[in-house]
Amino acid sequence: MQQLPAHSVYLVQESKETADAVAYAFLQNTGEPVQYPYKYPNIADDDVRIRILYTGLCHSDCLHSRGLWDPNIKYPSCPGHEVVGLVEKVGTGVTKFKVGDKVGCNPQRWMCQTCDLCKKGDNQLCSKGIFLYDDNNFGGYSTHIQVAERMVFRIPEGFNDALGSPLLCAGITVYAPLKRYYKPNFSCAVIGIGGLGHLAVQYAAKLGMTVTAFTTSKNREQEIKRLGASNLSSSINVESLKTEQGKYDIVINTLYIEDEEVFKSHQRLTAPTGTYIQVGAPPSKVNFKLDHAYIILNQIRVAGSLIGNYDETQEMLEFSAQNNVYPIVETFEFEDFPKAFDRMEKAQAKFRCVVNVGKWAQANGLWK
């Protein structure tokens, strides 16, 4: 086994036999993640330690681990923020959860609950908020994760654990803004039918909207219609996009396309007084180009959305379980984490990657 570098928060171990957990960590901004056995510091009074059953992979993990969002990130780095698991240990001050409860984690690790944004219910924008791998904390590419009780979600009865972990990021990223701005009789355009978009189609349809999917995958027409879309149209053909201009009460764009005319054509799909939602994120140095004239002259609301607040996320989990809304996933064993990451990074997966962590962790004596 290669010599692993020390970590500022966790105590690296020589083998999994002496470890509390095993992560897949990046040691630099290139190459594959490697297994990293480690011990946790003492559990805080308000912390919950979770045995991870399934963890989802998100493209933002690539942007983080490769230093594309922050070139000064510290290594070893363990990303991951789509987690379903079982409570293994709780701090002395924990009151909402007990050992054995099925729970989930999303990208946020901690919220203060006292700032103006938290008091308004926008805890995901907390001025003192900590995200899963801020301050060099390890995220969900691990057999365990330890987070504050206030950011742990209860997994509802009937929830499909094997499919559902990506909902903790991808699901809430599209559910929250759709739920905020929709009415049941609205028309909705979903741009990009990938990891986010195929979930947006399902949520929009289940909320009662008429959905048109804008995609380059016309060969998947029947599959996309089974998800809930009534129609399909091109997401990149400018002439085709012109024929759809101004037709949709809500447009949710899960892409960022560098072609300025195509990107502005996406905005022009929005009906007068409608809402244009941008959730697809580019690398940090890329700026969005807005069609100011169209937006102003048609009184378009332009909205961004960062995951969702705590209550929206818990509601989304309940809604998904009740309405059978889940991603289409490729499932990998824990030993194949690097393969899963590679497929996700190269956009080869259909549509999300999920790793079965619990099977390996239990077999290797890490459930203590």
Side-chain angles (χ1 to χ4, degrees), residues 253-323:
N253 197 342
T254 71
L255 306 177
Y256 175 73
I257 293 179
E258 292 188 16
D259 185 303
E260 185 174 336
E261 186 54 34
V262 172
F263 191 58
K264 288 184 176 180
S265 295
H266 291 165
Q267 298 158 38
R268 297 181 197 125
L269 297 172
T270 318
T273 73
T275 302
Y276 174 83
I277 302 164
Q278 182 68 40
V279 292
S284 59
K285 294 182 180 180
V286 177
N287 293 317
F288 290 123
K289 305 284 188 180
L290 294 180
D291 189 333
H292 302 90
Y294 186 83
I295 288 167
I296 293 167
L297 294 176
N298 290 281
Q299 296 182 200
I300 305 299
R301 177 197 286 121
V302 178
S305 189
L306 177 65
I307 48 174
N309 66 33
Y310 186 94
D311 290 342
E312 288 172 326
T313 304
Q314 191 65 59
E315 177 188 295
M316 177 274 303
L317 293 170
E318 300 282 351
F319 183 93
S320 300
Q322 292 166 8
N323 291 279

Side-chain angles (χ1 to χ4, degrees), residues 59-95:
H59 187 68
S60 60
D61 299 335
C62 304
L63 298 174
H64 171 82
S65 299
R66 301 305 190 197
L68 296 174
W69 274 349
D70 178 7
N72 299 312
I73 70 165
K74 297 177 181 177
Y75 296 97
S77 173
C78 170
H81 52 254
E82 301 176 341
V83 169
V84 172
L86 299 170
V87 175
E88 180 175 276
K89 189 175 183 179
V90 297
T92 57
V94 171
T95 59

